[in-house]
PDB file of all heavy atoms in Angstrom:
ATOM      1  N   ALA A  43     104.045 131.764  78.528  1.00  0.00           N
ATOM      2  CA  ALA A  43     104.590 131.535  77.210  1.00  0.00           C
ATOM      3  C   ALA A  43     105.841 130.590  77.274  1.00  0.00           C
ATOM      4  O   ALA A  43     106.058 129.669  76.465  1.00  0.00           O
ATOM      5  CB  ALA A  43     104.974 132.830  76.560  1.00  0.00           C
ATOM      6  N   SER A  44     106.627 130.854  78.264  1.00  0.00           N
ATOM      7  CA  SER A  44     107.914 130.039  78.495  1.00  0.00           C
ATOM      8  C   SER A  44     107.566 128.597  78.710  1.00  0.00           C
ATOM      9  O   SER A  44     108.176 127.664  78.110  1.00  0.00           O
ATOM     10  CB  SER A  44     108.689 130.530  79.563  1.00  0.00           C
ATOM     11  OG  SER A  44     109.141 131.873  79.343  1.00  0.00           O
ATOM     12  N   TRP A  45     106.568 128.373  79.562  1.00  0.00           N
ATOM     13  CA  TRP A  45     106.156 126.921  79.837  1.00  0.00           C
ATOM     14  C   TRP A  45     105.553 126.262  78.632  1.00  0.00           C
ATOM     15  O   TRP A  45     105.777 125.099  78.421  1.00  0.00           O
ATOM     16  CB  TRP A  45     105.192 126.935  81.004  1.00  0.00           C
ATOM     17  CG  TRP A  45     105.847 127.183  82.329  1.00  0.00           C
ATOM     18  CD1 TRP A  45     107.204 127.351  82.618  1.00  0.00           C
ATOM     19  CD2 TRP A  45     105.189 127.303  83.601  1.00  0.00           C
ATOM     20  NE1 TRP A  45     107.427 127.631  83.968  1.00  0.00           N
ATOM     21  CE2 TRP A  45     106.221 127.606  84.570  1.00  0.00           C
ATOM     22  CE3 TRP A  45     103.917 127.310  83.963  1.00  0.00           C
ATOM     23  CZ2 TRP A  45     105.919 127.776  85.957  1.00  0.00           C
ATOM     24  CZ3 TRP A  45     103.586 127.457  85.398  1.00  0.00           C
ATOM     25  CH2 TRP A  45     104.573 127.672  86.257  1.00  0.00           C
ATOM     26  N   LEU A  46     104.817 127.018  77.850  1.00  0.00           N
ATOM     27  CA  LEU A  46     104.253 126.456  76.568  1.00  0.00           C
ATOM     28  C   LEU A  46     105.361 125.992  75.708  1.00  0.00           C
ATOM     29  O   LEU A  46     105.402 124.853  75.124  1.00  0.00           O
ATOM     30  CB  LEU A  46     103.390 127.413  75.893  1.00  0.00           C
ATOM     31  CG  LEU A  46     102.063 127.802  76.469  1.00  0.00           C
ATOM     32  CD1 LEU A  46     101.375 128.940  75.816  1.00  0.00           C
ATOM     33  CD2 LEU A  46     101.100 126.607  76.413  1.00  0.00           C
ATOM     34  N   VAL A  47     106.417 126.844  75.446  1.00  0.00           N
ATOM     35  CA  VAL A  47     107.481 126.550  74.558  1.00  0.00           C
ATOM     36  C   VAL A  47     108.278 125.353  75.120  1.00  0.00           C
ATOM     37  O   VAL A  47     108.683 124.436  74.397  1.00  0.00           O
ATOM     38  CB  VAL A  47     108.377 127.751  74.348  1.00  0.00           C
ATOM     39  CG1 VAL A  47     109.588 127.366  73.625  1.00  0.00           C
ATOM     40  CG2 VAL A  47     107.600 128.858  73.579  1.00  0.00           C
ATOM     41  N   GLN A  48     108.550 125.334  76.379  1.00  0.00           N
ATOM     42  CA  GLN A  48     109.225 124.305  77.004  1.00  0.00           C
ATOM     43  C   GLN A  48     108.565 122.934  76.982  1.00  0.00           C
ATOM     44  O   GLN A  48     109.119 121.871  76.989  1.00  0.00           O
ATOM     45  CB  GLN A  48     109.666 124.562  78.476  1.00  0.00           C
ATOM     46  CG  GLN A  48     110.757 125.667  78.564  1.00  0.00           C
ATOM     47  CD  GLN A  48     110.869 126.176  79.992  1.00  0.00           C
ATOM     48  OE1 GLN A  48     110.059 125.975  80.848  1.00  0.00           O
ATOM     49  NE2 GLN A  48     111.966 126.983  80.150  1.00  0.00           N
ATOM     50  N   ALA A  49     107.218 122.998  76.843  1.00  0.00           N
ATOM     51  CA  ALA A  49     106.418 121.791  76.730  1.00  0.00           C
ATOM     52  C   ALA A  49     106.330 121.349  75.311  1.00  0.00           C
ATOM     53  O   ALA A  49     105.551 120.483  74.879  1.00  0.00           O
ATOM     54  CB  ALA A  49     105.026 122.018  77.301  1.00  0.00           C
ATOM     55  N   LYS A  50     107.043 122.053  74.353  1.00  0.00           N
ATOM     56  CA  LYS A  50     107.128 121.663  72.979  1.00  0.00           C
ATOM     57  C   LYS A  50     105.920 122.074  72.259  1.00  0.00           C
ATOM     58  O   LYS A  50     105.551 121.382  71.186  1.00  0.00           O
ATOM     59  CB  LYS A  50     107.585 120.259  72.733  1.00  0.00           C
ATOM     60  CG  LYS A  50     108.973 119.965  73.306  1.00  0.00           C
ATOM     61  CD  LYS A  50     109.363 118.534  73.042  1.00  0.00           C
ATOM     62  CE  LYS A  50     110.704 118.362  73.681  1.00  0.00           C
ATOM     63  NZ  LYS A  50     111.122 116.930  73.778  1.00  0.00           N
ATOM     64  N   VAL A  51     105.104 123.006  72.727  1.00  0.00           N
ATOM     65  CA  VAL A  51     103.901 123.463  71.945  1.00  0.00           C
ATOM     66  C   VAL A  51     104.509 124.224  70.769  1.00  0.00           C
ATOM     67  O   VAL A  51     105.395 125.016  70.944  1.00  0.00           O
ATOM     68  CB  VAL A  51     103.045 124.310  72.797  1.00  0.00           C
ATOM     69  CG1 VAL A  51     101.941 125.023  72.057  1.00  0.00           C
ATOM     70  CG2 VAL A  51     102.501 123.537  74.042  1.00  0.00           C
ATOM     71  N   PRO A  52     103.979 123.938  69.570  1.00  0.00           N
ATOM     72  CA  PRO A  52     104.492 124.667  68.399  1.00  0.00           C
ATOM     73  C   PRO A  52     104.385 126.231  68.556  1.00  0.00           C
ATOM     74  O   PRO A  52     103.454 126.703  69.127  1.00  0.00           O
ATOM     75  CB  PRO A  52     103.485 124.186  67.223  1.00  0.00           C
ATOM     76  CG  PRO A  52     103.028 122.842  67.730  1.00  0.00           C
ATOM     77  CD  PRO A  52     102.895 122.993  69.273  1.00  0.00           C
TER      78      PRO A  52
END
Side-chain angles (χ1 to χ4, degrees):
S44 298
W45 286 356
L46 287 170
V47 171
Q48 290 170 343
K50 300 180 182 169
V51 173

